[in-house]
């Protein structure tokens, strides 16, 4: 028979095996496990040698082993009792299920006819019999009463099933996300209780329209708050059923509606430019190219050029269109496809443009806060939100460079090819900003967060901006800058980019040449300067970025119905 080893210092009764390499910790456990006749050697610690235990130590250990045996038997008896109770409970439930199959509900024709209604429109129907359909959002079985929170997209409704309606087979096997039709009397919730809308449905008849699976394929097994982000992305169609995700999308709808009202009130007309184009706006490196009946074409980066053509016939215009950028960026504020709210205005100055953007932003927020529904969504998603104060701060690009250096905010040094310069340890070399640098996203966002208010950052060098932007006359001192502006918001960074546009034909042709652009495909854009030019400007607002700021979302991916980013085009 093998010798059993006990080390009172470094042994373990949980993981030990009784060998010299993995000894037990106590004599009691060794005797309990292997019996009192086993040969046992023990020691106090690694500094002493293994020896046979004394008789007094063995006597004490045997008492301990007896105690362990009693615990084992007690645990065994408890396990048997629990197994028996579980078996009886299973039998009881099975019997209950079999009996429940005999219960067949039918709607009582003697009751008042139920009024079909969406959940969001139920308040005027209190004390009446109503019919509501939707998805089982929450489910709780309590003392033979079943509570269902129903969801139909317009709101949530607490429903109470008791008596026979809670005893059917469908009631006992109901699962989350099943679709049901519920009929009953709508009543205010009892005093001291709460429920969505302040009322609940006392159900007298109901039926399952589409059952959702249980078991391994149950909704909560496929998706929950702790699911990996990649799983959440794959199951976006299920994620949007959640209260937070759906609230973001409802606020997005309200946001777009409020933007439209704000723009229309300023005499802007909405148009719908094409998304398939054969010209570039923001540079060829970020174009999605495709074959269009044998011709090269692209998904639009911006509708700006088309909006400019509308000014002579339609006046000031705007659009809400998708824009596409083939930029291999995985930051929390970038998408490959995003909703672009763009506007163009004629006969304005640069100051007019910034005043317009500020006015539209503040007016839109005010409209959202004035509406109880959208204000409630903002309160739910961003409890500490406060409307931005006017006027917005205005900071020139040159002053911003100085501010960044004064506050020790540096950027990564790059070589002539644009590669990051690193030290021997592989860390990027950090350097101060200089006039002519493109202010990096991280530095820009850090500056905005420190300032803590909306900031108009304006007057960028011409080489950093698109070909169509009007230049500022600087009398030959400093870099040639443009009448361009970015609106930066705390927590997000840039949400609006705009500029005055080149109004002169010759200046536009010079810009084409500087950028290496063939002007031929742009004939229709150039004609805007040929047939009655004027000073004009415009801007583009990223709807997802604006929504991320408004709803305090960490990433713009939460602000799109089905977000697209590099490598993600599903579902």
């Amino acid at each position: 028979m093998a010798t059993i080893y006990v080390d009172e210092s470094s042994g373990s009764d949980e993981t030990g095996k009784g060998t010299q390499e993995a000894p037990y910790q106590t004599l009691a456990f060794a005797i309990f496990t292997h019996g009192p006749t086993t040969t046992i050697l023990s020691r106090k610690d690694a500094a002493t040698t293994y020896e046979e235990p004394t008789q007094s130590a063995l006597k004490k250990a045997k008492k301990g082993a007896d105690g362990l045996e009693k615990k084992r038997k007690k645990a065994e008896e408890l396990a048997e009792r629990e197994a028996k109770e579980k078996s009886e409970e299973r039998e009881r439930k099975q019997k209950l299920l079999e009996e429940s199959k005999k219960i067949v509900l039918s709607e009582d024709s003697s009751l008042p006819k139920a009024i079909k209604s969406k959940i969001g429109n139920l308040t005027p129907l209190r004390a009446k019999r109503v019919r509501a359909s939707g998805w089982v959002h929450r489910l709780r079985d309590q003392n033979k009463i079943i509570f269902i929170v129903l969801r139909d997209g317009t709101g949530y409704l607490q429903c109470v099933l008791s008596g026979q309606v809670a005893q059917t087979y469908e009631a006992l096997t109901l699962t989350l996300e099943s679709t049901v039709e519920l009929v009953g009397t709508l009543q205010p919730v009892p005093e001291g209780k709460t429920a969505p809308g302040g009322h609940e449905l006392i159900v007298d008849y109901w039926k399952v329209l589409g059952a959702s699976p249980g078991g391994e394929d149950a909704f909560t097994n496929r998706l929950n708050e702790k699911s990996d982000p990649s799983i959440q992305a794959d199951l976006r169609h299920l994620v949007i059923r959640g209260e937070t995700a759906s609230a973001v999308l409802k606020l997005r709808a309200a946001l777009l509606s409020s933007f439209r009202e704000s723009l229309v009130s300023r005499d802007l007309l909405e148009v719908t430019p094409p998304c398939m184009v054969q010209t570039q706006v923001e540079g060829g490196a970020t174009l999605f190219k495709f074959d269009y009946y044998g011709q090269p074409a692209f998904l639009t980066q911006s509708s700006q050029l088309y909006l400019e053509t509308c000014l002579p016939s339609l006046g000031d215009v705007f659009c809400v269109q998708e824009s596409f950028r083939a930029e291999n960026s995985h930051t929390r504020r970038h998408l490959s496809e995003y909703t672009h709210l763009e506007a163009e205005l004629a006969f304005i100055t640069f100051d007019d443009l910034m005043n317009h953007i500020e006015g539209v932003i503040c007016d839109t927020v005010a409209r959202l806060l004035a509406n109880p529904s959208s204000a409630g969504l903002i309160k739910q998603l961003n409890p500490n939100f406060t409307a931005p104060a006017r006027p917005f701060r205005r900071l020139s690009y040159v002053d911003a460079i100085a501010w960044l250096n004064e506050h020790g905010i540096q950027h990564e040094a790059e070589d002539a090819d644009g590669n990051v310069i690193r030290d021997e340890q592989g860390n990027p070399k950090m350097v101060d900003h200089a006039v002519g640098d493109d202010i990096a996203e991280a530095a820009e966002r850090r500056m905005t967060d420190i300032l803590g208010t909306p900031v108009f950052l304006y007057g960028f060098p011409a080489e950093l901006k698109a070909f169509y932007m009007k230049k500022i006359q600087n009398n030959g001192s400093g870099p040639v800058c443009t009448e361009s502006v970015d609106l930066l918001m705390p927590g997000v960074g840039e949400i609006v980019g705009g500029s005055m546009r080149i109004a002169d034909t010759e200046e536009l042709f010079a810009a084409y040449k500087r950028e290496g652009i063939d002007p031929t495909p742009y004939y229709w854009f150039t004609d805007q300067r040929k047939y009655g030019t004027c000073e004009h400007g415009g801007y583009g607002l990223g709807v997802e970025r604006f929504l991320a700021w408004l709803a305090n979302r960490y990433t713009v991916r939460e602000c799109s119905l089905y977000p697209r980013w590099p490598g993600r085009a599903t579902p």
Side-chain angles (χ1 to χ4, degrees):
M1 184 177 292
T3 300
I4 301 303
Y5 292 85
V6 174
D7 187 321
E8 296 177 14
S9 175
S10 61
S12 172
D13 290 343
E14 285 77 26
T15 60
K17 297 178 180 179
T19 62
Q20 268 191 283
E21 295 77 18
Y24 295 129
Q25 187 178 31
T26 65
L27 275 173
F29 187 80
I31 293 172
F32 166 71
T33 305
H34 299 280
T37 60
T38 304
T39 302
I40 300 174
L41 297 177
S42 68
R43 67 182 182 185
K44 293 291 184 183
D45 52 50
T48 59
T49 59
Y50 282 106
E51 297 178 350
E52 290 185 5
T54 64
Q55 288 300 314
S56 62
L58 283 172
K59 186 176 180 181
K60 184 179 179 182
K62 286 176 182 177
K63 286 184 179 180
D66 290 342
L68 291 172
E69 177 63 17
K70 288 178 182 178
K71 285 183 180 179
R72 184 193 67 78
K73 287 182 177 179
K74 189 175 181 180
E76 194 175 76
E77 290 171 1
L78 180 62
E80 288 177 359
R81 186 164 63 250
E82 288 179 348
K84 183 179 179 182
E85 289 174 355
K86 286 180 180 179
S87 177
E88 290 173 351
E89 179 64 15
R90 281 196 299 269
E91 289 178 9
R92 187 190 69 79
K93 286 186 176 180
Q94 190 60 41
K95 184 178 179 181
L96 197 63
L97 281 174
E98 291 302 320
E99 291 176 353
S100 71
K101 293 177 182 179
K102 301 173 185 177
I103 301 174
V104 180
L105 294 181
S106 59
E107 190 169 356
D108 190 343
S109 59
S110 67
L111 294 174
K113 184 177 180 181
I115 303 168
K116 187 176 180 180
S117 175
K118 293 286 188 182
I119 292 173
N121 302 327
L122 282 174
T123 300
L125 300 176
R126 287 182 182 176
K128 297 184 181 298
R129 195 161 175 265
V130 300
R131 185 185 306 271
S133 300
W135 286 259
V136 178
H137 186 66
R138 290 200 184 93
L139 180 63
R140 180 164 52 97
D141 192 339
Q142 185 176 342
N143 297 327
K144 298 182 180 180
I145 299 177
I146 296 175
F147 291 90
I148 294 173
V149 175
L150 193 68
R151 181 190 75 239
D152 73 349
T154 69
Y156 300 89
L157 173 65
Q158 180 169 290
C159 309
V160 183
L161 283 66
S162 62
Q164 195 175 57
V165 293
Q167 298 168 9
T168 65
Y169 182 79
E170 289 76 13
L172 299 179
T173 58
L174 188 61
T175 52
L176 289 174
E177 294 302 323
S178 294
T179 45
V180 295
E181 179 183 82
L182 300 163
V183 183
T185 304
L186 189 68
Q187 296 182 353
V189 291
E191 191 173 343
K193 303 291 184 179
T194 59
H199 47 232
E200 60 186 7
L201 188 68
I202 309 302
V203 177
D204 58 60
Y205 172 74
W206 73 287
K207 61 182 178 181
V208 175
L209 304 176
S212 180
E216 292 184 4
D217 207 27
F219 186 87
T220 50
N221 285 339
R222 291 196 68 192
L223 181 71
N224 57 60
E225 292 179 354
K226 296 181 180 179
S227 295
D228 185 89
S230 63
I231 293 175
Q232 292 192 34
D234 288 337
L235 301 180
R236 179 67 177 169
H237 59 293
L238 300 181
V239 169
I240 60 177
R241 298 186 181 203
E243 291 177 28
T244 298
S246 61
V248 171
L249 295 174
K250 288 175 183 177
L251 181 57
R252 177 189 169 105
L255 172 65
L256 290 173
S257 178
S258 295
F259 262 125
R260 285 185 164 98
E261 290 175 6
S262 298
L263 291 163
V264 170
S265 72
R266 287 167 170 76
D267 298 319
L268 275 77
L269 183 73
E270 183 171 6
V271 294
T272 51
C275 287
M276 295 187 293
V277 301
Q278 291 185 302
T279 50
Q280 68 185 52
V281 181
E282 300 296 335
T286 62
L287 286 165
F288 281 109
K289 187 175 181 180
F290 66 96
D291 180 86
Y292 186 71
Y293 299 105
Q295 301 178 53
F298 315 98
L299 295 176
T300 186
Q301 302 164 312
S302 166
S303 297
Q304 175 208 318
L305 306 189
Y306 293 99
L307 293 180
E308 287 189 51
T309 69
C310 297
L311 294 177
S313 57
L314 303 176
D316 297 345
V317 290
F318 76 96
C319 71
V320 182
Q321 295 278 89
E322 299 305 288
S323 282
F324 305 85
R325 299 283 171 91
E327 186 176 0
N328 192 19
S329 177
H330 293 264
T331 76
R332 61 190 177 99
R333 70 175 195 174
H334 280 91
L335 291 170
S336 298
E337 175 186 6
Y338 65 98
T339 303
H340 211 174
L341 189 153
E342 299 181 86
E344 288 294 320
L345 303 96
F347 306 107
I348 61 169
T349 65
F350 190 35
D351 278 338
D352 291 336
L353 177 64
M354 288 188 281
N355 290 337
H356 167 88
I357 295 170
E358 180 179 306
V360 169
I361 295 289
C362 292
D363 184 20
T364 298
V365 170
R367 290 174 188 271
L368 289 167
L369 294 176
N371 182 294
S373 177
S374 53
L377 291 169
I378 294 172
K379 184 70 175 176
Q380 173 188 341
L381 296 165
N382 190 2
N384 299 319
F385 178 79
T386 55
R390 301 181 68 176
F392 292 173
R393 180 167 181 169
R394 300 188 182 188
L395 184 67
S396 74
Y397 163 85
V398 173
D399 289 342
I401 293 292
W403 190 96
L404 290 168
N405 291 335
E406 287 170 7
H407 289 76
I409 300 174
Q410 298 181 309
H411 70 101
E412 296 176 346
E414 296 181 350
D415 59 23
D417 297 322
N419 300 312
V420 175
I421 300 173
R422 299 182 182 275
D423 60 22
E424 293 179 357
Q425 287 73 40
N427 300 314
K429 180 182 179 182
M430 303 303 290
V431 295
D432 287 343
H433 287 81
V435 173
D437 289 342
D438 190 359
I439 301 175
E441 175 193 340
E444 182 182 80
R445 192 168 63 244
R446 189 175 172 195
M447 177 181 71
T448 310
D449 290 348
I450 292 172
L451 294 174
T453 59
V455 178
F456 277 125
L457 185 58
Y458 68 91
F460 295 89
E463 61 267 20
L464 299 180
K465 288 298 181 179
F467 73 91
Y468 52 75
M469 295 185 179
K470 183 180 178 181
K471 296 176 181 60
I472 298 173
Q473 301 303 318
N474 62 358
N475 300 318
S477 61
V480 177
C481 293
T482 55
E483 289 191 334
S484 56
V485 62
D486 288 347
L487 176 60
L488 314 179
M489 286 295 193
V492 179
E494 179 193 344
I495 63 168
V496 179
S499 75
M500 295 299 290
R501 318 308 193 190
I502 293 174
D504 180 75
T505 304
E506 294 305 315
E507 187 180 347
L508 181 60
F509 273 111
Y512 287 144
K513 184 176 181 180
R514 185 183 69 250
E515 296 296 325
I517 296 174
D518 178 5
T520 305
Y522 293 83
Y523 69 93
W524 49 274
F525 178 68
T526 308
D527 274 355
Q528 304 311 306
R529 284 80 182 159
K530 181 178 180 180
Y531 295 96
T533 190
C534 72
E535 292 297 320
H536 63 288
Y539 59 92
L541 177 146
V543 171
E544 288 82 7
R545 289 188 185 182
F546 189 92
L547 183 55
W549 166 73
L550 183 67
N552 193 29
R553 297 298 95 190
Y554 177 73
T555 170
V556 293
R557 295 176 184 180
E558 297 181 59
C559 301
S560 172
L561 179 59
Y562 286 101
R564 301 293 187 241
W565 65 86
R568 168 65 61 178
T570 55

